[in-house]
Amino acid sequence: MSAEYEGRYGSRLIIALYLACLSAGSISQTLTYPFDVLRRKMQVTGMGGQRYNGALDALQSTLQTEGPKGLYRGLWPNLRALFRFGSVHRECHADFIVLMLDALYLR
């Protein structure tokens, strides 16, 4: 991150950007993870696992055998990876954010 960025906006904005990245990633991952679980379960059926007749059948079977927790199995490792990804994501977009802030507030 550039010294100009840190000097102009301070460390509070840096923390806010990091938390915003983590929040967005965590929310989207939590909302879409059950679909990923169902996709993986249906892919495994081709390798000799339990056969499903579609996504609704896989959902019904998972809810009956494992309950709602079955749809979120393995979510924590993905959320932990977001903590590392959040800092990389923030660094990659820092220059773009500086340009946006300059365009919005400094003109």
Side-chain angles (χ1 to χ4, degrees):
M1 181 176 306
S2 69
E4 175 188 356
Y5 179 77
E6 287 183 15
R8 186 181 295 172
Y9 301 109
S11 62
R12 287 186 298 178
L13 183 61
I14 295 168
I15 293 169
L17 290 173
Y18 183 70
L19 292 176
C21 290
L22 288 178
S23 299
S26 298
I27 290 169
S28 66
Q29 185 71 18
T30 302
L31 292 176
T32 61
Y33 197 76
F35 300 109
D36 194 40
V37 169
L38 293 176
R39 177 189 56 83
R40 278 185 266 125
K41 283 182 177 268
M42 290 176 19
Q43 283 178 334
V44 170
T45 62
M47 299 187 307
Q50 180 181 353
R51 292 277 185 203
Y52 298 109
N53 293 324
L56 291 178
D57 183 36
L59 175 65
Q60 182 181 16
S61 176
T62 301
L63 290 175
Q64 285 177 351
T65 57
E66 302 174 42
K69 280 185 166 181
L71 295 174
Y72 290 95
R73 184 166 303 206
L75 177 64
W76 284 113
N78 283 343
L79 290 178
R80 279 186 273 154
L82 284 174
F83 285 100
R84 292 187 301 270
F85 176 73
S87 61
V88 172
H89 187 266
R90 179 183 50 83
E91 291 294 329
C92 291
H93 291 86
D95 292 335
F96 177 72
I97 291 169
V98 168
L99 291 173
M100 292 281 294
L101 288 172
D102 286 344
L104 291 174
Y105 298 112
L106 299 178
R107 287 189 179 193

